[in-house]
Amino acid sequence: MSKLHADFYADAMTQVEAVITEQQLIAEETYRVRVSAASIASTAVPGQFVMIRLASRNSPLIGRALAIYDVIDDSDGKPRWIDLVYIRKGTLTQALAASPLGTQVTLWGPLGNGFSDRPCDRLIMVAGGIGQTPMLLLGREALGNQTFGDGSRQNGWASQVELIYGARRESLLAGVDDFRNAGFGLTLCTDDGSVGEQRLAPDVLAERLSKLTSGETVRVATCGPEIMMQKVAEICATAGVDCQVSMETPMACGIGICFSCVAPIKMDAAEQDGSEGWDYKRTCVEGPIFDADKICWH
């Protein structure tokens, strides 16, 4: 596992004044917005995020962190647009949902690190709530369907990709057709049984891992409610499976200045120096992706 350090300060980010070119309701209170931001689209990797704010508004003054859901090429095959998925809930997202096409937004990004491109036979992604948002790019890269970033990452590093996606009810599942069309295996779970299996997503994962064939290498990536990710991490630890989590810690600045998004992370032996064995790390610059065995869940 990689040593934790702030390799992902915002030095390489760009600030973009962009316009909304598409806006679509894709699930209950859940929207997908498309903005023209070529400098971000061309450098982003799966798991990174942007900060967004409405250029014409001072309330809220700070931006909102949103994972990059999709990268769309222009007719010349060059990345030009990014899609962001959000739930209409707070001041900014309510205003964003009400914004007509052509509304100007300010973006800065791409920010944070990204999921590893460590090769495996099988990638299993486990998402809950709005945690499916970083998974589309990751799965496409793993299957070799799309290349992201500056060309330093490999693609086609997994033979199979599956998304296990859970929500309270069917109406809250967002982007299901996008994952199907990307060629992922897809298992839906709902608390009320309105679609798919009436089970918790981590329980489905545990069943998958119990049926692995000898010698099959598996990686797990997860994002969603913390209690769900903790359960996924525990299942993977028991099975000896490589697992990464995307932390959804609330952020204010997104660039490592305000220390509002810290998470308790275990330190390597060389880093401890008589300490308690863990320290707070900023999710925005040392995450949001962490190896699951580094998280102090208690």
Side-chain angles (χ1 to χ4, degrees):
M1 302 298 181
S2 58
K3 182 179 178 181
L4 294 173
H5 49 79
D7 277 342
F8 305 99
Y9 285 118
D11 304 51
M13 78 168 190
T14 58
Q15 181 168 315
V16 178
E17 302 300 323
V19 296
I20 296 174
T21 60
E22 292 184 26
Q23 178 106 263
Q24 182 181 6
L25 181 68
I26 61 172
E28 182 180 331
E29 296 295 327
T30 307
Y31 291 78
R32 177 172 56 203
V33 62
R34 180 168 298 177
V35 294
S36 179
S39 61
I40 295 175
S42 61
T43 57
V45 302
Q48 288 190 298
F49 66 96
V50 298
M51 299 293 290
I52 182 172
R53 65 181 299 271
L54 291 170
S56 60
R57 296 175 62 98
N58 291 323
S59 177
L61 183 61
I62 61 175
R64 169 75 184 271
L66 295 176
I68 298 172
Y69 177 71
D70 204 356
V71 171
I72 299 91
D73 294 344
D74 61 19
S75 58
D76 295 324
K78 296 180 179 179
R80 179 174 177 182
W81 298 275
I82 61 170
D83 282 0
L84 309 170
V85 171
Y86 64 94
I87 295 176
R88 180 173 61 181
K89 187 176 182 180
T91 302
L92 188 145
T93 51
Q94 289 185 43
L96 185 59
S99 298
L101 301 187
T103 298
Q104 189 174 59
V105 297
T106 301
L107 303 172
W108 51 103
L111 297 169
N113 59 359
F115 286 104
S116 167
D117 57 355
R118 294 190 285 263
C120 61
D121 296 321
R122 186 175 176 187
L123 171 66
I124 302 176
M125 305 179 294
V126 184
I130 197 68
Q132 89 289 4
T133 51
M135 300 304 181
L136 186 61
L137 298 190
L138 179 63
R140 282 184 183 158
E141 179 187 73
L143 288 176
N145 296 337
Q146 203 166 353
T147 300
F148 302 102
D150 59 4
S152 62
R153 290 172 64 93
Q154 58 184 326
N155 68 353
W157 43 263
S159 300
Q160 299 178 51
V161 171
E162 178 183 8
L163 173 65
I164 303 169
Y165 181 16
R168 295 194 303 278
R169 54 187 177 272
E170 182 180 10
S171 62
L172 294 171
L173 294 167
V176 170
D177 287 341
D178 293 333
F179 298 107
R180 286 199 180 105
N181 294 336
F184 307 166
L186 182 63
T187 300
L188 302 178
C189 305
T190 48
D191 293 353
D192 64 0
S194 51
V195 71
E197 302 186 24
Q198 192 172 8
R199 302 171 65 191
L200 298 177
D203 294 337
V204 177
L205 172 67
E207 182 180 88
R208 294 287 190 278
L209 297 184
S210 72
K211 297 179 179 179
L212 297 179
T213 60
S214 177
E216 184 179 18
T217 58
V218 177
R219 282 186 52 203
V220 171
T222 186
C223 182
E226 188 168 307
I227 191 170
M228 184 209 77
M229 293 195 295
Q230 180 178 357
K231 183 64 175 177
V232 168
E234 291 169 351
I235 290 168
C236 289
T238 299
V241 169
D242 179 2
C243 178
Q244 288 191 306
V245 302
S246 176
M247 301 295 286
E248 293 189 317
T249 313
M251 299 179 190
C253 74
I255 56 175
I257 295 173
C258 68
F259 284 78
S260 67
C261 65
V262 294
I265 306 297
K266 298 174 187 176
M267 294 186 292
D268 294 331
E271 296 178 292
Q272 292 182 20
D273 192 26
S275 69
E276 296 181 356
W278 63 273
D279 197 3
Y280 286 114
K281 300 289 184 179
R282 292 161 292 176
T283 302
C284 62
V285 293
E286 283 136 332
I289 313 302
F290 293 98
D291 291 328
D293 62 359
K294 290 287 188 180
I295 309 292
C296 295
W297 296 104
H298 55 279

